[in-house]
Amino acid sequence: MFSGSIPALVTPFDRDGGFDERAYRDLIEWQIAEGSTALVPCGTTGEAATLTQDEQFAIVRLCVDQARGRVPVIAGAGSNDTRVAAANLRAAKEAGADAALMVPPYYNRPSQEGIFRHFEALAQHAPLPIVLYNVPARTVTDIQPETLVRIVAAFPRLFVAVKDASGILQRVSQHRAALGNDFCQLSGNDDLALAFNAMGGVGCISVTANVAPRLSADFQQACAAGDAAKALALHDRLFPLHAALFSDASPGPVKYAMTRVRPGFPEGLRLPMTWPGETSRAAVDAALAHAAL
């Protein structure tokens, strides 16, 4: 259902924390023009944790409006409360999203059975397809391969993909062996996307694509075409940027990078996120120079 370079969009805020609609619309236009194949509003990189529910789905609605059907919109909609997650799914559908990106419950730390029951409950009335998002470094909850297979096998038409940010590459093969080549596996780690695709992945929900959408799209196209030499060259060109964008608390570095490649891009973040430190900014500048950006 999804493939290629899919930016986890930053949310532009002014210095007072207000949402900048014009900057967001411009960002979406640039992403589509540069070859991004889908858009993810209000994910982790979009600072969803600091948005009210009304703000979150107003931003999703705006993203859908600006995309105008040219690429799919996958709305960040997860929650650690199953009832809230169900309400978020309905709100994402009402906002016009094509799918929802859903983390397992964070902070609560449910068992694997609890993770399955959470998604089982969501499946009962889910109004749109779900991309499972496994990011244990943030949620402290890891969807083990056996659990993911159990979820997808129980509801194959609903759970259509995984964004895997576990960093455990062997899971690509484990998931593929159990669910087949047609199950959509997307990397959640830019720095591992080359190896992830080589093992059967079909794309990346990307932080770096915010800053380098054309290079990220070209990289994914090279992978899909089996052009290993071109894919490796683009990977090497982007690799320092992948690292630099996590040289301080994300999304601070990527927002700084946006001001470098898109002059006038708003500089705001919402607390507790802060502007990256001097060392991080220097790393971003060096990485942008390495990538010829």
Side-chain angles (χ1 to χ4, degrees):
M1 183 176 240
F2 305 108
S3 63
S5 179
I6 303 171
L9 295 171
V10 296
T11 303
F13 297 126
D14 61 33
R15 291 188 177 184
D16 295 322
F19 174 63
D20 189 325
E21 177 179 337
R22 183 69 265 159
Y24 200 57
R25 289 186 181 275
D26 289 346
L27 173 61
I28 290 165
E29 283 301 310
W30 184 51
Q31 288 291 333
I32 294 173
E34 294 289 281
S36 297
T37 53
L39 303 169
V40 177
C42 303
T44 306
T45 308
E47 298 175 77
T50 67
L51 299 171
T52 67
Q53 188 184 54
D54 287 347
E55 285 179 318
Q56 180 172 345
F57 293 103
I59 290 169
V60 172
R61 187 174 295 106
L62 189 153
C63 184
V64 170
D65 178 70
Q66 191 65 34
R68 299 194 304 278
R70 290 173 289 173
V71 296
V73 173
I74 308 167
S79 173
N80 64 332
D81 181 331
T82 305
R83 292 171 297 179
V84 172
N88 287 350
L89 281 171
R90 293 191 294 271
K93 174 67 174 179
E94 291 166 3
D98 298 286
L101 184 69
M102 306 292 286
V103 293
Y106 43 85
Y107 186 77
N108 313 46
R109 300 184 69 183
S111 66
Q112 294 300 302
E113 183 66 19
I115 294 170
F116 176 80
R117 296 298 178 190
H118 172 78
F119 287 112
E120 179 186 51
L122 295 181
Q124 302 310 310
H125 303 288
L128 74 177
I130 293 173
V131 177
L132 294 164
Y133 178 17
N134 194 30
V135 57
R138 287 190 179 271
T139 62
V140 200
T141 306
D142 185 7
I143 309 175
Q144 292 290 320
E146 297 82 3
T147 304
L148 184 140
V149 169
R150 184 182 176 197
I151 292 166
V152 175
F155 308 99
R157 294 185 179 180
L158 179 63
F159 296 98
V160 296
V162 62
K163 175 187 177 181
D164 191 335
S166 69
I168 304 172
L169 284 169
Q170 68 199 51
R171 290 189 176 179
V172 184
S173 294
Q174 290 174 306
H175 296 155
R176 188 162 49 82
L179 296 170
N181 292 333
D182 291 337
F183 180 66
C184 175
Q185 297 195 66
L186 304 168
S187 177
N189 301 88
D190 283 292
D191 58 345
L192 298 179
L194 180 65
F196 192 97
N197 285 350
M199 296 180 74
V202 295
C204 182
I205 296 182
S206 167
V207 174
T208 300
N210 279 284
V211 181
R214 174 55 63 188
L215 291 178
S216 297
D218 288 350
F219 164 73
Q220 289 293 338
Q221 289 167 5
C223 289
D227 190 340
K230 182 176 181 180
L232 181 60
L234 287 165
H235 167 81
D236 288 346
R237 185 173 170 184
L238 288 168
F239 189 79
L241 188 57
H242 298 332
L245 294 182
F246 288 90
S247 58
D248 206 332
S250 182
V254 68
K255 283 204 160 177
Y256 169 70
M258 292 298 296
T259 69
R260 304 293 286 164
V261 300
R262 302 280 290 175
F265 193 85
E267 297 182 5
L269 292 123
R270 286 187 176 178
L271 287 171
M273 307 318 296
T274 58
W275 202 240
E278 182 178 351
T279 301
S280 176
R281 296 197 305 273
V284 169
D285 287 340
L288 291 172
H290 178 84
L293 293 170

